[in-house]
Structures are given as C-alpha cells and as structure tokens.
Amino acid sequence: PSAMREVLVEVPKVHWDDIGGLDEVKLELKEAVEWPIKNKKIYEKLGIDPPKGILLYGPPGTGKTLLAKAVATEIGANFIAIKGPEIFSKWFGESEKMIREMFRKAKQVAPAVIFFDEIDAIAPRRGSSIGTNVYDSIVNQLLAEMDGITTRGDVIVIAATNRPDIIDPALLRPGRFDRIIYIPPPDYKARLEILKIKTRNMPLAPDVNLEEIARITEGYSGADLELLVKEAAINRIRLSYELKRKQGLNEEEALKELGKEDIKITMD
Ligand code: ATP
C-alpha cells in the first residue's frame, strides 16, 4: 500500500470537559501548547516557543489518546495518529517511509498534531537488548523528522507510552519530546467525573448513586469505567428483553415493546 495515501487525517472533537479528572495535566497542556499558539505575539516577544514534542506516560486506559485529541481540537489542528506496533506489522520494511510520510502529511495539513500511541514499540533504547538495528533506523528517522520541524507550533508531536523507562533517551532531549507528563490513574474525584461524563446522555434510574460507584471502583481506569457504564446499559436492556420473553412475546414483539419502554439504567 502507498504510505502517503494511508496516512489518515482526522478532525477531532474532544473538548477538555470530555475528560474527567487530570486538571493539572490539562492546565499543563494548555499552558504548553494552547496559550502560545493562541497568543503568538506575547510568546514571541518573550522568546518562548511551544514544544515540538510531548510525551504522555502512565498506565493504560487513562486518557492519553483523549488528551492528545483535546490538544488538537482546542488549537483547531488536524490529527494524525499511529500506533507504534502498527509501524512494524503493517509497514514492515517501509516503516521509515511511513514516518516520513506522516510528517510530510502533517506539514501539508498544518496545524496538525501527530500522535504516536505506544511509542515504546518503535523507539526502545538503541543498542539495548530490546533494541535492534531495525529499531535504530526508525528512531533515527523519527529524530530527523522532529529536528526538521520548526517550533512555531504548526506541527506538534505527542507520544504516549506505558513504559517510559524503555524509551530511547535520545528522544527525550531538548527540542524533541522535552515535555514529559505523567498521566495518573483516576482518584475518587476523577472517577466520579468520568462516570458523570460517560452517563451524560444516558437515562439513569433515580437511585443510581455515582458517588458510591466512584468510591468502590478504586483501581479502575477511565477505560474500565467506560466499560462498566456500557455493560450496565446492555444488562438493563437484556433484563427487560428477557422479562418480555417470559411474558410470552416473541423476539420481534419483545424488541418492539422495548422501544416504547421508558428504560432507566440501573447500576447494581
Ligand atoms: P492506552 O494507554 O491503552 O492507549 P489511553 O491512556 O490512550 O490508553 P484513552 O484511549 O484515551 O486511553 O482512553 C481509553 C478509553 O477510556 C476511551 O474510550 C476514553 O473515552 C476512556 N477514558 C479514559 N480516561 C478517561 C478520562 N480521564 N475521561 C474520560 N474518558 C476516559
């Protein structure tokens, strides 16, 4: 496949208030990216450029992708995303070319945010036991591309990883991924916010107590909470459906009746 044609450009629609918790992270990202771009003159006068590269690290499912999309949304940028492992599997033998094309496309559609999810898969320490020559040339390509972008904030590279410890340190030098931000798992307040966001458009039963759910879901990531809420909705529909079948309705009738019902989601 042609790499250039395969680079997908998205126009994201994730706003800061679609992300629960992470207040400090949001502020840091706004300060680092949004403010300098929205107030170019002031920052130019002060000689401050927005960063070219930001590394988000932390446990899986905690909103790193969402944050990257929110940055793009807020600065009105296009979004180009790729998962580290894909650069190998899908682009075997053409990985460097793919990276080159991503940056070329980004410049073409600038302002743009390039998002590398699971960057550890393409950029482990060179010369380490994990790193091999294959990785080396990919990392070199990525470094060259990052050095090649200007710091006017037209192209910003955001990367995410659960394993910052295995990333090639060359990537973390000034002018590359020099903003390194930890994305923590959600605490009680963040879990409650995430639950509120995820149930925003759901008809909840009046006795659903999101505070209680937030309290007992210690250790859940945002992704886990999203799944919990979805499962509650699916279970609720299944329950109603089974009840109707028991009342003697066939599948079609049961579904039809379900459509008329004022379903409220419970979360027991
Ligand atoms: P991974 O490390 O596995 O790539 P991630 O940190 O990039 O995960 P996301 O892809 O941003 O996580 O989030 C996973 C899912 O969980 C998404 O559907 C997202 O909506 C939801 N989610 C995670 N964290 C939050 C949050 N803080 N607020 C709202 N939704 C969240």
Side-chain angles (χ1 to χ4, degrees):
S2 148
M4 191 60 175
R5 253 184 287 128
E6 289 278 329
V7 177
L8 294 182
V9 179
E10 234 185 288
V11 180
K13 279 195 200 66
V14 176
H15 296 277
W16 294 119
D17 59 8
D18 296 324
I19 305 176
L22 302 174
D23 293 341
E24 281 158 38
V25 173
K26 290 183 202 170
L27 185 64
E28 196 172 342
L29 287 171
K30 280 185 206 177
E31 232 174 55
V33 184
E34 201 181 317
W35 297 354
I37 288 174
K38 288 188 173 167
N39 307 283
K40 274 199 171 136
K41 287 223 174 76
I42 303 173
Y43 282 81
E44 265 164 25
K45 219 190 281 174
L46 299 175
I48 302 169
D49 296 315
K52 290 189 206 175
I54 298 172
L55 178 70
L56 308 176
Y57 75 97
T62 46
K64 295 183 285 297
T65 307
L66 278 187
L67 287 163
K69 285 187 175 175
V71 167
T73 306
E74 298 296 338
I75 61 173
N78 285 299
F79 191 76
I80 296 174
I82 193 151
K83 282 189 193 306
E86 254 176 42
I87 295 187
F88 281 118
S89 54
K90 219 166 141 194
W91 302 104
F92 187 77
E94 277 200 303
S95 308
E96 292 92 328
K97 196 168 145 202
M98 182 59 187
I99 289 180
R100 199 160 55 231
E101 292 304 339
M102 283 181 76
F103 280 83
R104 202 160 82 179
K105 188 85 184 192
K107 284 174 203 161
Q108 215 177 67
V109 300
V113 169
I114 298 179
F115 180 61
F116 285 98
D117 202 1
E118 301 177 58
I119 188 138
D120 47 281
I122 56 164
R125 286 166 192 280
R126 281 171 296 181
S128 74
S129 55
I130 319 164
T132 66
N133 292 335
V134 192
Y135 292 111
D136 286 3
S137 52
I138 295 177
V139 172
N140 287 334
Q141 183 66 41
L142 181 56
L143 293 176
E145 293 294 346
M146 291 208 53
D147 291 344
I149 55 181
T150 56
T151 50
R152 261 172 284 117
D154 297 332
V155 175
I156 291 168
V157 189
I158 302 182
T161 181
N162 311 319
R163 294 292 311 274
D165 53 308
I166 60 167
I167 288 183
D168 192 323
L171 274 174
L172 309 179
R173 286 198 201 115
R176 294 162 179 178
F177 293 97
D178 51 7
R179 288 292 175 116
I180 302 175
I181 305 179
Y182 175 58
I183 314 300
D187 58 9
Y188 167 79
K189 188 173 155 274
R191 291 197 299 277
L192 181 56
E193 274 180 40
I194 294 170
L195 286 167
K196 283 184 178 160
I197 291 168
K198 300 300 174 194
T199 56
R200 215 151 45 183
N201 300 314
M202 280 187 179
L204 291 184
D207 62 345
V208 169
N209 184 345
L210 294 181
E211 283 85 3
E212 171 67 5
I213 297 168
R215 200 177 56 74
I216 61 176
T217 46
E218 169 100 59
Y220 279 55
S221 68
D224 296 332
L225 293 171
E226 186 173 38
L227 194 66
L228 187 82
V229 165
K230 275 193 188 146
E231 277 176 351
I234 290 167
N235 285 340
R236 181 62 190 78
I237 289 173
R238 187 178 300 140
L239 207 71
S240 268
Y241 173 80
E242 280 167 2
L243 199 70
K244 297 202 181 330
R245 291 302 300 266
K246 275 199 194 117
Q247 291 164 351
L249 301 184
N250 67 26
E251 184 180 325
E252 203 182 322
E253 292 163 343
L255 286 177
K256 208 171 156 196
E257 282 303 306
L258 255 178
K260 293 184 203 158
E261 204 181 323
D262 180 25
I263 289 191
K264 294 274 184 261
I265 294 164
T266 51
M267 296 231 226
D268 316 314

